[in-house]
Amino acid sequence: MTSAQGVPFLKGHGTENDFVIVPDPDGLLDLSPAAVARLCDRRAGIGADGILRVVRSGAHPEARAMAGDAEWFMDYRNADGSVAEMCGNGARVFARYLEHAGLAGPGDLAIATRAGVRQVHIAKEGGDITVTMGSAQLSEGADDGGVTVGVEGRTWPARKVGMGNPHAVAFVADLAEAGRLLEAPETLPATAYPDGVNVEFVVDRGPRHVALRVHERGAGETRSCGTGACAVMVAAARRDGADPRRDGVPATYTVDVPGGRLVITERTDGEIEMTGPAEIVAEGRIDSGLLL
Ligand SMILES: N[C@@H](CCC[C@H](N)C(=O)O)C(=O)O
């Protein structure tokens, strides 16, 4: 794969959560954690919050079982080289790439992810993309999913939410309270997140309208996190007394992120739909040295 001409890549973002897209339809590329970290390095590499490797589901051992439902597998990696189950903004950018490459048209398609098959709708003429994100896993009852997050000596109660990947959602009075977020917030109890966690800090902006900052597992503070915005939406809805499965009425929230805006609906069947923009901004070739 690493020819003298290099390996093709594209760069894209969704609400400024940015990704290097590596088309590898036949799954031939050996993308090691070190190579991912080099590609995502913002000074010595291309720079990104993560990598979207585009592989045919039938050509990837983790996706083969989904090949009948979704032709393409989103092999998502965090900027530090770690593997994540799901990336919401990445799913929109992945779909935009398929459209850009002529592999999908506007309309409906399914993509395979480590969290399962996700349904996607691409609006016409470069419009927004909607992804069904699965349902949120929230602990209820005696264990209400309560955890604590801490930054620079301050702590906040937080809600544990699973969106295929792990989240801790803390409501704060002011987003500046979270400080510079240069390091991963501490989460307690220490056993709550054996595989690490994405932490969201949330403020209210109005009725069913919130804003967040996020520290992503494997990437640091980013400008947006789609799964994080969905976790926040569900935590905000429950705090506000809304539960679409129980109420029989869908709930829609606007979630502002530092890089833009996402609109998120929890349906009466519990499925969460996230709608937002996705853009391809550049194309090029990776110098083979970065991939060694
Ligand atoms: N930015 C993503 C989430 C990417 C994975 C996350 N850092 C993790 O490790 O779980 C999104 O838009 O959801």
Side-chain angles (χ1 to χ4, degrees), residues 3 29 120 155 161 227 239 245 272 280:
S3 69
L29 200 59
V120 175
T155 59
V161 185
T227 50
R239 178 205 60 176
R245 258 197 276 229
I272 296 170
I280 304 295

Side-chain angles (χ1 to χ4, degrees), residues 72-217:
W72 296 98
F73 173 58
M74 178 176 81
D75 175 13
Y76 181 78
R77 317 287 184 90
N78 284 316
D80 69 353
S82 59
V83 169
E85 303 86 340
M86 178 55 187
C87 177
N89 290 321
R92 295 199 318 281
V93 174
F94 188 92
R96 181 69 81 214
Y97 161 73
L98 294 178
E99 183 189 30
H100 174 92
L103 299 168
D108 297 327
L109 79 142
I111 61 175
T113 75
R114 291 192 176 85
V117 174
R118 298 288 181 255
Q119 305 301 323
V120 175
H121 180 80
I122 307 174
K124 287 185 186 148
E125 294 170 6
D128 281 354
I129 295 179
T130 300
V131 182
T132 57
M133 299 283 289
S135 47
Q137 296 100 51
L138 282 161
S139 311
E140 306 288 353
D143 171 15
D144 70 352
V147 290
T148 301
V149 301
V151 175
E152 295 166 11
R154 290 191 71 163
T155 59
W156 300 266
R159 182 114 198 212
K160 193 175 173 189
V161 185
M163 283 305 312
N165 59 352
H167 294 270
V169 178
F171 291 91
V172 296
D174 187 325
L175 291 177
E177 282 177 37
R180 295 175 65 199
L181 276 185
L182 294 178
E183 290 176 9
E186 187 185 16
T187 48
L188 292 171
T191 50
Y193 296 103
D195 301 319
V197 62
N198 303 284
V199 179
E200 289 82 26
F201 296 91
V202 192
V203 292
D204 287 301
R205 288 276 189 251
R208 298 200 170 187
H209 183 184
V210 293
L212 68 78
R213 281 176 71 192
V214 57
H215 189 285
E216 279 194 46
R217 179 179 66 168

